[in-house]
């Protein structure tokens, strides 16, 4: 089982899936066993209610307008949340986004 689970939420999960791969590569290179996955914002409730809840949730910058709504849900579940830095997202800097997630978890 993975040490930590990182969930990225965006509109449809397409471009965020590419970022997930970059984050997985960065985690593997650092010798970390993380489960990192992308989902649609419409599936956040289901993921937060599952037995394998994420340790942290990162929102894609394109859905940052939903932060307040989703923050209420993650706060209730005791899970930290933040919006992915737009530059890191656009440049697909998986290592930087991974560091953001780790900072929220610790």
């Amino acid at each position: 089982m993975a040490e930590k689970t990182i969930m990225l939420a965006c509109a449809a999960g397409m471009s965020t899936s590419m970022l997930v791969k970059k984050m997985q590569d960065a985690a593997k290179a650092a010798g970390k066993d993380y489960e990192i996955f992308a989902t649609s914002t419409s599936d956040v409730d289901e993921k937060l209610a599952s037995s394998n809840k994420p340790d942290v949730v990162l929102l894609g910058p394109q859905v940052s307008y939903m932060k307040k709504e989703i923050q209420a849900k993650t706060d209730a579940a005791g899970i930290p949340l933040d919006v992915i830095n737009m530059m890191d997202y656009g440049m697909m800097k998986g290592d930087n986004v991974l560091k953001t997630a780790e900072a929220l978890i610790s």
Side-chain angles (χ1 to χ4, degrees):
M1 190 164 149
E3 292 174 45
K4 300 289 180 189
T5 302
I6 302 169
M7 181 171 85
L8 278 58
C10 69
M14 299 309 285
S15 56
T16 307
S17 294
M18 292 187 291
L19 182 58
V20 164
K21 176 71 172 112
K22 299 277 188 176
M23 291 174 70
Q24 289 170 334
D25 292 346
K28 187 175 182 180
K32 296 176 180 171
D33 180 25
Y34 292 166
E35 178 184 349
I36 306 169
F37 67 95
T39 192
S40 165
T41 53
S42 62
D43 290 335
V44 167
D45 289 343
E46 176 188 332
K47 301 295 184 191
L48 293 179
S50 76
S51 59
N52 188 25
K53 285 192 277 201
D55 294 293
V56 63
V57 176
L58 296 174
L59 290 180
Q62 70 274 33
V63 292
S64 61
Y65 68 93
M66 297 181 76
K67 183 179 181 184
K68 188 175 180 182
E69 173 189 341
I70 294 175
Q71 180 97 56
K73 297 172 184 182
T74 57
D75 284 353
I79 298 169
L81 170 114
D82 204 356
V83 176
I84 299 168
N85 176 285
M86 192 178 300
M87 289 296 287
D88 289 340
Y89 188 89
M91 307 268 308
M92 291 286 146
K93 292 189 176 263
D95 54 341
N96 286 355
V97 178
L98 184 64
K99 287 176 192 169
T100 298
E102 290 174 325
L104 289 167
I105 294 169
S106 55

